[in-house]
Amino acid sequence: MQTELSRKLGVEHAVFGFTPFPAVAAAISRAGGFGVLGAVRYTAPDDLKRDLDWLDAHAGGRPYGLDVVMPAKKVEGVTEADVEAMIPEGHRQFVRDTLARYGVPGLAEGEASGWRITGWMEQVARTQLDVAFDHPIKLLANALGSPPADVVARAHDRGVQVAALAGSARHARKHQEAGIDIVVAQGYEAGGHTGEIATMVLTPEVVEAVDPLPVLAAGGIGSGQQVAAALTLGAQGVWLGSIWLTTTEADLHSPALTRKLLAAGSGDTVRSRALTGKPARQLRTEWTDAWDDPAGPGTLPMPLQGLLVAEAVSRIQKYEVEPLLGTPVGQIVGRMSSERSVQAVLDDLTRGFEKAVDRINRIAGRSGQS
Ligand SMILES: Cc1cc2nc3c(=O)[nH]c(=O)nc-3n(C[C@H](O)[C@H](O)[C@H](O)COP(=O)(O)O)c2cc1C
């Protein structure tokens, strides 16, 4: 699965893997793909430093990258406490009532809830960059919007390629104007924040819009046949997120959640604002149903919703309250039916890709004769 871009970046396969887990990122890079570690959950720079040091020691000297969440809109001088104060009491009560209905226990005294908004704030993303640039990262990806010009310049000074996710051709062109090197065209099927256009439609639109910039196709890709389809649509590679969640290297901290993912079909996700306030595809649960129910109070805008539900989500995860337990994941969850190593996923992608290419060659050969 080689392309011009994979050769340029020095990887065997044009398969980029987004993951929140350092062990998965290292395994993707070791297996010949390009591991990209998600930084949003690192609110303390020292934790990110520890994990990037670990990645340096375990990625086998292969290239890897970091994904930060730098929102396009800059919020100056706003603290988490300011945002807390903006949350209506009715919404807090709705959270309390919903948790009580399912008998969800509280956290222990002083136990921090894992999910904070701070990783979404530009000042935090900037401290993450300071740490990241002290490590040999080869790619910096930005999730929400174009990275600021000074960040692009800083990355380029260090020979780091810059990527950004786009859900429409218009977004992709903005990224191109911001001077980035690679556009990730992420379709509606994808896990996490998504736009409204499917990968099949989005990829060729973005490829045309930003030509000659290389494009990675993302969203709904989990087989080699789909990798071949993405390259056929003009992509220079693929960017996969969901598929790694059920690998043996992933650390979801919840056997119940892993079981739910393995059992889920492709129709068991929903694009909901329940987690962050922006539409994000995730496992459909009784928690997302409660938020999406017109009889409820409705979700708050980002970053209020994320802060409102942070503690609740931690409690649901800690106590594995199955009806409410979920995670961002895309429609490809329907193919994630057994726990496999990252290497096994890569091997499967390679085999499927070769089969697809053979098949197309056969078809083309036959049509050539007719
Ligand atoms: C659990 C999970 C968390 C994600 N978090 C982020 C994130 O923090 N930053 C980001 O750029 N993309 C994030 N994404 C989206 C991925 O980068 C990727 O675009 C997407 O997973 C691709 O579609 P797929 O899920 O169908 O493979 C996340 C995806 C998942 C499944």
Side-chain angles (χ1 to χ4, degrees):
M1 293 182 285
Q2 284 260 323
T3 63
E4 219 174 290
L5 181 66
S6 66
R7 281 189 284 273
K8 182 175 167 194
L9 294 175
V11 290
E12 200 182 327
H13 303 301
V15 175
F16 293 70
F18 169 91
T19 173
F21 308 114
V24 176
I28 294 168
S29 290
R30 281 199 312 272
F34 198 112
V36 181
L37 179 68
V40 73
R41 74 189 171 96
Y42 293 95
T43 48
D46 285 351
D47 293 345
L48 180 62
K49 180 184 179 314
R50 180 201 61 217
D51 283 359
L52 290 181
D53 286 348
W54 186 92
L55 249 175
D56 290 340
H58 293 88
R62 309 282 180 88
Y64 72 87
L66 190 77
D67 176 283
V68 295
V69 179
M70 226 178 227
K73 271 194 225 126
K74 204 167 170 162
V75 190
E76 296 276 10
V78 178
T79 66
E80 207 168 283
D82 297 333
V83 181
E84 283 271 9
M86 292 162 73
I87 297 173
E89 178 51 30
H91 281 76
R92 293 192 188 279
Q93 192 57 45
F94 178 74
V95 171
R96 285 194 290 270
D97 291 346
T98 309
L99 295 177
R101 214 168 45 249
Y102 289 87
V104 184
L107 295 177
E109 184 76 24
E111 195 176 353
S113 62
W115 183 273
R116 308 303 297 172
I117 58 156
T118 41
W120 304 86
M121 292 178 140
E122 180 172 338
Q123 53 271 45
V124 174
R126 283 187 179 273
T127 62
Q128 292 169 346
L129 291 179
D130 293 339
V131 174
F133 286 136
D134 280 342
H135 291 79
I137 62 164
K138 291 283 180 287
L139 177 84
L140 177 70
N142 192 34
L144 296 177
S146 302
D150 67 301
V151 172
V152 176
R154 216 171 143 195
H156 286 167
D157 281 351
R158 288 167 174 75
V160 175
Q161 297 272 297
V162 182
L165 275 68
S168 69
R170 190 174 61 85
H171 281 153
R173 270 193 296 270
K174 276 193 166 169
H175 292 334
Q176 186 177 33
E177 282 160 20
I180 68 158
D181 309 289
I182 300 165
V183 176
V184 181
Q186 196 219 38
Y188 173 82
E189 307 92 316
H193 292 117
T194 64
E196 297 196 328
I197 307 169
T199 306
M200 185 81 177
V201 175
L202 180 69
T203 304
E205 278 184 9
V206 171
V207 167
E208 278 175 33
V210 302
D211 182 57
L213 274 194
V215 173
L216 302 175
I221 298 170
S223 73
Q225 285 84 351
Q226 290 164 324
V227 176
L231 299 193
T232 306
L233 295 174
Q236 283 273 337
V238 290
W239 173 279
L240 277 54
S242 295
I243 198 85
W244 318 109
L245 289 174
T246 50
T247 56
T248 45
E249 290 89 344
D251 191 6
L252 286 177
H253 295 296
S254 169
L257 182 55
T258 301
R259 277 198 305 276
K260 276 187 99 168
L261 287 171
L262 294 175
S266 48
D268 290 332
T269 70
V270 64
R271 197 165 156 271
S272 166
R273 296 177 187 269
L275 199 57
T276 65
K278 276 187 188 285
R281 187 170 295 287
Q282 53 202 287
L283 217 48
R284 182 177 169 191
T285 67
E286 293 182 27
W287 178 252
T288 60
D289 285 352
W291 283 106
D292 295 336
D293 186 345
T299 53
L300 297 171
M302 186 187 238
L304 274 66
Q305 180 72 13
L307 196 57
L308 170 66
V309 301
E311 198 219 13
V313 169
S314 295
R315 286 163 62 182
I316 293 165
Q317 284 173 352
K318 176 171 176 185
Y319 298 105
E320 299 193 293
V321 186
E322 288 219 31
L324 305 179
L325 190 59
T327 174
V329 72
Q331 294 179 340
I332 198 67
V333 71
R335 282 188 80 98
M336 294 155 51
S337 50
S338 64
E339 272 187 90
R340 296 178 291 169
S341 66
V342 164
Q343 180 71 59
V345 172
L346 254 302
D347 289 346
D348 181 53
L349 290 174
T350 310
R351 267 194 308 274
F353 177 78
E354 281 162 7
K355 261 169 84 176
V357 172
D358 282 350
R359 181 167 179 276
I360 292 295
N361 282 339
R362 267 201 322 277
I363 292 169
R366 272 204 298 274
S367 58
Q369 287 159 14
S370 62

